[in-house]
Coordinates of all heavy atoms in Angstrom, one line a residue:
E7 N 0.8 -1.2 0.0 CA 0.0 0.0 0.0 C 0.8 1.3 0.0 O 0.4 2.3 0.5 CB -1.0 0.0 1.2 CG -2.0 -1.2 1.1 CD -3.0 -1.1 2.2 OE1 -3.1 -0.1 2.9 OE2 -3.8 -2.1 2.4
T8 N 2.0 1.2 -0.6 CA 2.9 2.4 -0.8 C 2.6 3.0 -2.1 O 2.8 2.5 -3.1 CB 4.3 2.0 -0.7 OG1 4.6 1.3 0.5 CG2 5.2 3.2 -0.9
P9 N 2.0 4.3 -2.1 CA 1.6 4.9 -3.3 C 2.8 5.8 -3.9 O 3.7 6.2 -3.2 CB 0.5 5.8 -2.8 CG 0.9 6.2 -1.5 CD 1.6 5.0 -0.9
R10 N 2.7 6.0 -5.2 CA 3.5 6.9 -5.9 C 2.7 7.8 -6.8 O 1.6 7.4 -7.3 CB 4.5 6.1 -6.8 CG 5.6 5.3 -6.2 CD 6.4 4.6 -7.2 NE 7.7 4.1 -6.7 CZ 8.6 3.5 -7.4 NH1 8.4 3.4 -8.7 NH2 9.7 3.1 -6.9
Y11 N 3.1 9.0 -7.0 CA 2.4 10.0 -7.8 C 3.4 10.8 -8.6 O 4.5 11.1 -8.1 CB 1.6 11.0 -7.0 CG 0.5 10.3 -6.1 CD1 0.8 10.0 -4.8 CD2 -0.8 10.1 -6.6 CE1 -0.2 9.4 -4.0 CE2 -1.7 9.5 -5.8 CZ -1.5 9.2 -4.5 OH -2.4 8.6 -3.7
I12 N 3.1 11.1 -9.9 CA 3.9 12.1 -10.6 C 3.6 13.5 -10.0 O 2.5 13.7 -9.4 CB 3.6 12.1 -12.1 CG1 2.1 12.3 -12.4 CG2 4.0 10.8 -12.7 CD1 1.7 12.5 -13.8
D13 N 4.6 14.4 -10.2 CA 4.5 15.7 -9.5 C 3.3 16.5 -9.9 O 2.7 17.2 -9.0 CB 5.8 16.5 -9.8 CG 7.0 15.9 -9.2 OD1 6.9 15.2 -8.2 OD2 8.1 16.3 -9.6
S14 N 2.8 16.4 -11.1 CA 1.7 17.2 -11.6 C 0.4 16.9 -10.9 O -0.5 17.7 -11.0 CB 1.6 17.1 -13.1 OG 1.3 15.8 -13.5
V15 N 0.3 15.7 -10.3 CA -1.0 15.4 -9.7 C -0.9 15.2 -8.1 O -2.0 15.0 -7.5 CB -1.6 14.0 -10.2 CG1 -1.6 14.1 -11.8 CG2 -0.8 12.8 -9.8
K16 N 0.2 15.4 -7.6 CA 0.4 15.3 -6.1 C -0.5 16.4 -5.4 O -0.5 17.5 -5.8 CB 1.8 15.6 -5.7 CG 2.7 14.4 -6.0 CD 4.2 14.6 -5.5 CE 5.0 13.4 -5.8 NZ 6.4 13.7 -5.4
G17 N -1.2 15.9 -4.4 CA -2.1 16.8 -3.7 C -3.5 16.9 -4.3 O -4.4 17.5 -3.7
R18 N -3.7 16.4 -5.5 CA -4.9 16.5 -6.2 C -5.6 15.1 -6.5 O -6.8 14.9 -6.4 CB -4.8 17.2 -7.6 CG -4.3 18.6 -7.5 CD -4.4 19.3 -8.8 NE -3.6 18.7 -9.8 CZ -4.0 18.2 -11.0 NH1 -5.4 18.3 -11.2 NH2 -3.2 17.7 -11.9
F19 N -4.7 14.1 -6.8 CA -5.2 12.7 -7.0 C -4.9 11.8 -5.9 O -3.8 12.0 -5.2 CB -4.5 12.2 -8.3 CG -5.0 12.8 -9.6 CD1 -5.7 14.0 -9.6 CD2 -4.6 12.3 -10.8 CE1 -6.1 14.6 -10.8 CE2 -5.0 12.8 -12.0 CZ -5.7 14.0 -12.0
T20 N -5.7 10.8 -5.6 CA -5.5 9.8 -4.6 C -5.8 8.4 -5.2 O -6.9 8.2 -5.7 CB -6.3 10.1 -3.4 OG1 -6.0 11.4 -2.9 CG2 -6.0 9.0 -2.3
I21 N -4.9 7.5 -5.1 CA -5.1 6.1 -5.5 C -5.4 5.3 -4.2 O -4.9 5.5 -3.2 CB -3.9 5.5 -6.2 CG1 -4.2 4.2 -6.8 CG2 -2.7 5.5 -5.3 CD1 -3.1 3.6 -7.7
S22 N -6.4 4.4 -4.4 CA -6.7 3.5 -3.3 C -7.2 2.2 -3.8 O -7.5 2.1 -5.0 CB -7.8 4.1 -2.4 OG -9.0 4.4 -3.0
Q23 N -7.3 1.1 -3.0 CA -7.7 -0.2 -3.4 C -8.5 -0.9 -2.4 O -8.2 -0.8 -1.2 CB -6.4 -1.0 -3.7 CG -6.7 -2.4 -4.3 CD -5.5 -3.1 -4.8 OE1 -4.4 -2.9 -4.1 NE2 -5.5 -3.9 -5.8
D24 N -9.5 -1.6 -2.8 CA -10.4 -2.3 -1.9 C -10.4 -3.8 -2.4 O -11.1 -4.1 -3.4 CB -11.8 -1.8 -1.8 CG -12.7 -2.5 -0.8 OD1 -12.3 -3.6 -0.4 OD2 -13.7 -1.9 -0.4
N25 N -9.5 -4.6 -1.9 CA -9.4 -6.0 -2.4 C -10.7 -6.8 -2.1 O -11.0 -7.7 -2.9 CB -8.2 -6.7 -1.7 CG -6.9 -6.3 -2.4 OD1 -6.8 -6.2 -3.6 ND2 -5.9 -6.2 -1.6
A26 N -11.4 -6.5 -1.1 CA -12.7 -7.2 -0.8 C -13.7 -7.0 -2.0 O -14.5 -7.8 -2.2 CB -13.3 -6.8 0.5
K27 N -13.6 -5.8 -2.6 CA -14.5 -5.5 -3.7 C -13.8 -5.7 -5.1 O -14.4 -5.4 -6.1 CB -15.0 -4.1 -3.6 CG -15.9 -3.8 -2.3 CD -16.3 -2.4 -2.3 CE -17.2 -2.2 -1.0 NZ -17.7 -0.8 -0.9
N28 N -12.6 -6.1 -5.1 CA -11.8 -6.3 -6.3 C -11.8 -5.0 -7.2 O -12.1 -5.0 -8.4 CB -12.4 -7.4 -7.2 CG -12.1 -8.8 -6.6 OD1 -11.3 -8.9 -5.6 ND2 -12.7 -9.8 -7.1
T29 N -11.6 -3.8 -6.5 CA -11.7 -2.6 -7.1 C -10.5 -1.6 -6.8 O -10.1 -1.5 -5.6 CB -13.0 -1.9 -6.8 OG1 -14.1 -2.7 -7.1 CG2 -13.2 -0.6 -7.5
L30 N -10.0 -1.0 -7.8 CA -9.0 0.0 -7.7 C -9.7 1.4 -8.0 O -10.5 1.5 -8.9 CB -7.8 -0.2 -8.7 CG -6.7 0.7 -8.6 CD1 -5.8 0.5 -7.4 CD2 -5.8 0.6 -9.9
Y31 N -9.3 2.4 -7.2 CA -9.9 3.7 -7.4 C -8.9 4.8 -7.7 O -7.7 4.7 -7.3 CB -10.7 4.1 -6.1 CG -11.8 3.2 -5.7 CD1 -11.5 2.2 -4.7 CD2 -13.0 3.3 -6.3 CE1 -12.5 1.4 -4.3 CE2 -14.0 2.4 -5.9 CZ -13.8 1.5 -4.9 OH -14.8 0.6 -4.5
L32 N -9.4 5.9 -8.4 CA -8.6 7.1 -8.5 C -9.5 8.3 -8.3 O -10.4 8.5 -9.1 CB -8.0 7.2 -10.0 CG -7.2 8.4 -10.2 CD1 -5.9 8.4 -9.3 CD2 -6.7 8.5 -11.7
Q33 N -9.3 8.9 -7.2 CA -10.0 10.1 -6.8 C -9.3 11.3 -7.4 O -8.1 11.5 -7.1 CB -10.2 10.3 -5.3 CG -10.9 11.5 -4.9 CD -12.3 11.6 -5.3 OE1 -13.1 10.7 -5.2 NE2 -12.7 12.8 -5.9
M34 N -9.9 12.1 -8.2 CA -9.3 13.2 -8.9 C -10.0 14.5 -8.5 O -11.2 14.7 -8.8 CB -9.3 13.1 -10.4 CG -8.7 11.8 -10.9 SD -8.6 11.7 -12.7 CE -10.4 11.5 -13.1
N35 N -9.3 15.4 -7.8 CA -9.8 16.7 -7.4 C -9.1 17.8 -8.1 O -8.0 17.7 -8.6 CB -9.7 16.9 -5.9 CG -10.5 15.9 -5.1 OD1 -11.6 15.4 -5.5 ND2 -10.0 15.5 -4.0
S36 N -9.7 19.0 -8.1 CA -9.1 20.2 -8.7 C -8.6 19.9 -10.1 O -7.4 20.3 -10.5 CB -7.9 20.7 -7.8 OG -8.4 21.0 -6.5
L37 N -9.4 19.3 -10.9 CA -9.0 18.9 -12.3 C -8.7 20.1 -13.1 O -9.3 21.2 -13.0 CB -10.1 18.1 -12.9 CG -10.2 16.7 -12.4 CD1 -11.5 16.0 -12.7 CD2 -9.1 15.8 -13.0
K38 N -7.7 19.9 -14.0 CA -7.2 21.0 -14.9 C -7.4 20.5 -16.4 O -7.4 19.3 -16.6 CB -5.8 21.3 -14.7 CG -5.4 21.7 -13.2 CD -3.9 21.8 -13.0 CE -3.6 22.2 -11.6 NZ -2.1 22.3 -11.4
P39 N -7.5 21.4 -17.3 CA -7.6 21.0 -18.7 C -6.5 20.0 -19.2 O -6.7 19.1 -20.0 CB -7.5 22.3 -19.5 CG -8.1 23.3 -18.6 CD -7.6 22.8 -17.2
E40 N -5.3 20.2 -18.6 CA -4.2 19.3 -19.0 C -4.3 17.9 -18.4 O -3.5 17.0 -18.8 CB -2.8 19.9 -18.5 CG -2.8 20.4 -17.1 CD -3.1 21.9 -16.9 OE1 -4.0 22.4 -17.6 OE2 -2.3 22.5 -16.2
D41 N -5.3 17.6 -17.6 CA -5.6 16.3 -17.2 C -6.4 15.5 -18.2 O -6.7 14.3 -18.0 CB -6.4 16.3 -15.8 CG -5.5 16.9 -14.7 OD1 -4.3 16.5 -14.6 OD2 -6.1 17.7 -13.9
T42 N -6.9 16.2 -19.2 CA -7.7 15.6 -20.2 C -6.9 14.5 -20.9 O -5.9 14.7 -21.5 CB -8.2 16.6 -21.3 OG1 -9.1 17.5 -20.6 CG2 -8.9 15.9 -22.4
A43 N -7.5 13.3 -20.9 CA -6.8 12.1 -21.5 C -7.8 10.9 -21.3 O -8.8 10.9 -20.6 CB -5.5 11.8 -20.8
R44 N -7.4 9.8 -22.0 CA -8.0 8.5 -21.7 C -7.2 7.8 -20.6 O -6.0 7.7 -20.6 CB -8.1 7.6 -22.9 CG -8.9 6.4 -22.7 CD -9.2 5.7 -24.1 NE -10.1 4.6 -23.9 CZ -11.4 4.7 -23.9 NH1 -12.0 5.9 -24.1 NH2 -12.2 3.6 -23.8
Y45 N -7.9 7.4 -19.5 CA -7.3 6.9 -18.3 C -7.4 5.3 -18.3 O -8.5 4.8 -18.5 CB -7.9 7.5 -17.1 CG -7.4 8.9 -16.8 CD1 -7.8 9.9 -17.6 CD2 -6.5 9.1 -15.7 CE1 -7.3 11.2 -17.3 CE2 -6.0 10.4 -15.5 CZ -6.4 11.4 -16.3 OH -6.0 12.7 -16.0

C-alpha cells in the first residue's frame, strides 16, 4: 500500500484499493484541462 504519484497530480489525485470488492480507485480533485486524456 505504498503509493507513488507524478509531480503534476500530487495533492490532487489519490489512489486506493479495496481488495474485498476487487476494485482500484482514482479520486481526482481540482481537475485541470491538462488532465484531459483517456485513463
Side-chain angles (χ1 to χ4, degrees):
E7 300 185 9
T8 301
R10 289 178 167 184
Y11 300 93
I12 56 173
D13 289 342
S14 62
V15 307
K16 286 182 179 178
R18 300 189 299 120
F19 290 11
T20 303
I21 187 171
S22 62
Q23 185 174 32
D24 188 340
N25 279 320
K27 297 180 179 179
N28 289 347
T29 304
L30 183 74
Y31 301 98
L32 180 63
Q33 177 65 47
M34 304 184 293
N35 298 324
S36 302
L37 284 162
K38 304 175 180 179
E40 49 263 46
D41 295 318
T42 295
R44 190 166 184 85
Y45 283 71

